[in-house]
Amino acid sequence: MASSGDCTKNDGSRRSSSNLINPPSSKKRKVRINGAEETLDLLSELPESLLIQILSLLPTKDAFTTCILSKRWQYLWTSVYNFKFTRRSFRKPKHFISFVDYVLAHSVCSKIKRFEIDCTYLFRYNYNSHICRWLSFAVERKLENVVVRSNSETSAFKLPESFCTCSSLITLDLTSCCFDADVVIAWKSVKSIRFDAFVLFDKDILNVLSGCPALETLELDIVEGLRRLEIRSSKLKRLKLQDYWLSNDGGDHTLEIFAPYLQHLEISGDLDDLKCRLIDVSSVVNAKLTFNIRCIKDIRDDHGEEFDDAEDSCREYHQVFRTLVQYYLQKFSCATELTIGTWFTKVLCMLQYEGVQIPELKCKYLTLELHMDKFNLYGVAGLLRALPHVETLVIDIESMRFDYSRCHFESRDLAKGNKIDLQSLSSSFVLPNLKNVMIVNPSGVCLKDQFKSRYVKKLSKLSEFLLTNASVLEKFVIISKKRRCQTCSMNCVSQYLFGFAEKLLGCPKSSTNSVIIFQE
């Protein structure tokens, strides 16, 4: 190991795109047949089973076009077992529909491993009967994995009954679909489900869970309607909730989760005012909490509703979510891996400013996904204080869009927390088990003229704070995602961060064995 204070510029083992080895093209060799020299296509010499395997990896339209290559290739496409149809590759909907019908009518495969169809640009065309026919065809061929993209303007695509009882299905990825009111779900082999842009009521998800005895992973993206998610199966280990489809019903949006055997839980995206109450998640070892909650004033402004701007009303609204954050920390006190987002650290800052004690957690691997302008140093420090067992800390900083709240109450409390000096906490602050720190810096941002920006100051303070308080630190790694900036056409991120890493060499360090590494 390098000695303390070493700074290494590591270009990594990755090659640039220009140095990557391209896949071999179809090679040809010249041979003599009956005294005449002819060109032989080596790709066509491959076994038919291997050629079909290659074609099955391509979009179906590309696989179909190989029929013009030679007589050997004329009908190979009819044996592919993966299908990928995309409306965007056709100028008119009727051409897309005709193509899908033609391909399926000529298919000779006995089993379909993957059937992917994107109908997102067919919403003005009556495609429901067509997609029902296509899915029924796939079910007859013992379909295993399916992806359906739909976005009907009037109503979601209703899944056919034969599809809902397909026993060969293993994975489902469905967008803007729905179930018939009295349909029976019987997916006995399904292990993974993703529902995107769904209206799911409690009885619907109960029907799905009872009909999927082998289900291991459930993902719900932009789902509305659920009020209680009860998972009693010991096989379902992963649950992901991302974004929330806010209905303008004026009611209280609460989702209760009861999942005593769940091991991996993710709650991410924009939840608006959804309150996820974790009734029983006692087996969770890996939790990701990177969701964002909006101020009630912002939500009602978007819907054109009037809102009493009194501070007491706003305070009461935010206090509910502050209590919810405390509740989450208690629920995940035994989790070994945690991923925390910007909004969560912001609430932690306000809780600490109010004197709320954060419970000690047993987490050993912590990831912080923070927005470069919005993350709160005092909130991060307070979280680390509650994590004395952490051995690895990953700070992934992004420059993506973040909800800029117009809440004066929240902004004022955050401003108070931002004034607290981290170094004043150092005398009573120790990170006794922290061995590895990795700070991943944002791509797509120009740092040439931002040396005095809030982000740079925060990065410096946070880095110095970690070096000062991590007594057994071994590696402090600073990673630059991008080499050349599109804004200034220079390696501004790389140049600045390497210089930043060199400056950290002079910072006080609690660990005598620490090494600082810069990596692109």
Side-chain angles (χ1 to χ4, degrees), residues 86-356:
T86 304
R87 158 69 182 94
R88 286 170 291 184
S89 58
F90 293 83
R91 293 185 61 185
K92 296 183 178 181
K94 63 179 182 180
H95 295 159
F96 171 71
I97 292 172
S98 297
F99 176 73
V100 177
D101 284 340
Y102 182 84
V103 169
L104 297 186
H106 290 79
S107 173
V108 297
C109 71
S110 59
K111 177 182 287 188
I112 296 179
K113 291 188 176 181
R114 184 175 179 86
F115 189 85
E116 182 174 348
I117 187 158
D118 186 350
C119 299
T120 53
Y121 289 82
L122 285 176
F123 54 84
R124 293 178 181 173
Y125 197 89
N126 184 19
Y127 69 93
N128 282 13
S129 60
H130 299 291
I131 193 171
C132 280
R133 184 175 68 254
W134 299 333
L135 286 180
S136 296
F137 169 86
V139 168
E140 292 175 359
R141 301 294 176 95
K142 300 178 181 179
L143 173 64
E144 292 185 349
N145 306 283
V146 63
V147 178
V148 177
R149 299 278 181 263
S150 170
N151 68 340
S152 174
E153 285 186 329
T154 55
S155 61
F157 165 70
K158 188 174 292 185
L159 295 166
E161 185 177 346
S162 62
F163 178 81
C164 294
T165 56
C166 180
S167 60
S168 59
L169 278 171
I170 298 175
T171 68
L172 293 87
D173 187 344
L174 308 175
T175 301
S176 292
C177 301
C178 66
F179 301 103
D180 189 79
D182 301 320
V183 72
V184 175
I185 301 295
W187 291 325
K188 66 179 183 180
S189 302
V190 167
K191 293 185 177 181
S192 175
I193 291 178
R194 178 178 177 267
F195 291 146
D196 184 7
F198 260 69
V199 176
L200 283 175
F201 296 103
D202 294 352
K203 61 181 180 62
D204 298 322
I205 199 66
L206 184 62
N207 190 17
V208 170
L209 293 176
S210 62
C212 300
L215 188 63
E216 298 174 357
T217 299
L218 176 62
E219 295 187 23
L220 303 176
D221 294 358
I222 320 181
V223 168
E224 194 276 329
L226 278 181
R227 293 298 175 261
R228 181 175 175 85
L229 180 56
E230 189 168 332
I231 302 173
R232 294 189 176 274
S233 171
S234 59
K235 291 186 178 180
L236 205 161
K237 303 294 186 183
R238 294 179 178 272
L239 174 64
K240 177 181 178 181
L241 304 174
Q242 181 170 332
D243 295 322
Y244 176 67
W245 191 348
L246 181 63
S247 60
N248 190 18
D249 55 11
D252 179 61
H253 302 117
T254 300
L255 172 61
E256 294 183 343
I257 299 177
F258 178 87
Y261 302 105
L262 201 67
Q263 293 185 0
H264 305 270
L265 173 62
E266 175 180 340
I267 306 176
S268 58
D270 293 323
L271 299 189
D272 285 322
D273 65 345
L274 179 67
K275 306 171 191 68
C276 286
R277 302 194 183 278
L278 309 178
I279 306 303
D280 188 350
V281 289
S282 52
S283 297
V284 168
V285 294
N286 186 330
K288 182 175 182 179
L289 306 171
T290 55
F291 59 90
N292 177 45
I293 297 294
R294 300 174 65 201
C295 179
I296 188 64
K297 181 180 182 299
D298 296 345
I299 294 173
R300 295 193 179 179
D301 281 350
D302 289 346
H303 289 281
E305 300 177 19
E306 293 185 2
F307 178 69
D308 183 7
D309 201 21
E311 183 174 301
D312 290 341
S313 300
C314 196
R315 180 188 295 273
E316 182 180 348
Y317 171 82
H318 289 290
Q319 190 59 49
V320 171
F321 288 102
R322 294 185 188 184
T323 303
L324 203 59
V325 166
Q326 295 175 255
Y327 179 70
Y328 284 169
L329 292 176
Q330 293 171 358
K331 289 292 182 179
F332 298 126
S333 60
C334 294
T336 55
E337 294 187 32
L338 288 175
T339 301
I340 303 296
T342 299
W343 179 86
F344 207 94
T345 59
K346 179 179 68 175
V347 175
L348 287 175
C349 169
M350 292 185 282
L351 286 174
Q352 292 172 89
Y353 188 78
E354 294 173 351
V356 176

Side-chain angles (χ1 to χ4, degrees), residues 80 84 88 94 267 375 488:
V80 299
K84 184 176 181 179
R88 286 170 291 184
K94 63 179 182 180
I267 306 176
F375 77 87
C488 66

Side-chain angles (χ1 to χ4, degrees), residues 20 29 37 40 49 69 236 267 272 331 343 346 398:
L20 291 176
R29 68 182 181 186
E37 190 177 77
L40 185 64
S49 59
L69 295 179
L236 205 161
I267 306 176
D272 285 322
K331 289 292 182 179
W343 179 86
K346 179 179 68 175
E398 293 292 344

Side-chain angles (χ1 to χ4, degrees), residues 279-487:
I279 306 303
D280 188 350
V281 289
S282 52
S283 297
V284 168
V285 294
N286 186 330
K288 182 175 182 179
L289 306 171
T290 55
F291 59 90
N292 177 45
I293 297 294
R294 300 174 65 201
C295 179
I296 188 64
K297 181 180 182 299
D298 296 345
I299 294 173
R300 295 193 179 179
D301 281 350
D302 289 346
H303 289 281
E305 300 177 19
E306 293 185 2
F307 178 69
D308 183 7
D309 201 21
E311 183 174 301
D312 290 341
S313 300
C314 196
R315 180 188 295 273
E316 182 180 348
Y317 171 82
H318 289 290
Q319 190 59 49
V320 171
F321 288 102
R322 294 185 188 184
T323 303
L324 203 59
V325 166
Q326 295 175 255
Y327 179 70
Y328 284 169
L329 292 176
Q330 293 171 358
K331 289 292 182 179
F332 298 126
S333 60
C334 294
T336 55
E337 294 187 32
L338 288 175
T339 301
I340 303 296
T342 299
W343 179 86
F344 207 94
T345 59
K346 179 179 68 175
V347 175
L348 287 175
C349 169
M350 292 185 282
L351 286 174
Q352 292 172 89
Y353 188 78
E354 294 173 351
V356 176
Q357 187 71 27
I358 299 176
E360 183 176 307
L361 310 177
K362 295 183 179 179
C363 172
K364 292 187 176 181
Y365 193 104
L366 175 66
T367 299
L368 299 177
E369 293 186 1
L370 306 176
H371 185 272
M372 64 182 300
D373 288 329
K374 287 290 184 178
F375 77 87
N376 187 277
L377 288 173
Y378 191 51
V380 171
L383 180 61
L384 292 174
R385 186 195 293 272
L387 296 167
H389 305 285
V390 165
E391 297 176 0
T392 299
L393 171 63
V394 178
I395 302 176
D396 194 345
I397 301 175
E398 293 292 344
S399 58
M400 72 285 189
R401 180 196 64 82
F402 190 80
D403 178 40
Y404 288 84
S405 175
R406 298 187 292 273
C407 176
H408 299 299
F409 163 67
E410 211 173 25
S411 300
R412 186 186 61 192
D413 279 5
L414 280 172
K416 294 176 182 177
N418 281 326
K419 292 179 180 179
I420 299 174
D421 184 11
L422 287 187
Q423 297 306 318
S424 64
L425 301 175
S426 296
S427 59
S428 60
F429 200 108
V430 179
L431 299 168
N433 295 294
L434 185 59
K435 297 179 180 178
N436 301 292
V437 174
M438 182 183 299
I439 299 180
V440 184
N441 287 273
S443 58
V445 60
C446 181
L447 289 181
K448 182 179 179 181
D449 299 319
Q450 298 187 19
F451 292 103
K452 295 182 180 180
S453 68
R454 288 181 297 174
Y455 165 65
V456 173
K457 290 181 180 179
K458 284 183 179 181
L459 182 62
S460 299
K461 289 182 179 180
L462 180 58
S463 300
E464 292 170 6
F465 179 76
L466 293 171
L467 290 171
T468 303
N469 295 280
S471 57
V472 294
L473 186 66
E474 296 176 359
K475 291 183 179 180
F476 191 99
V477 184
I478 301 172
I479 298 178
S480 172
K481 285 185 178 179
K482 193 174 183 180
R483 295 185 179 183
R484 185 169 294 277
C485 175
Q486 294 182 352
T487 302

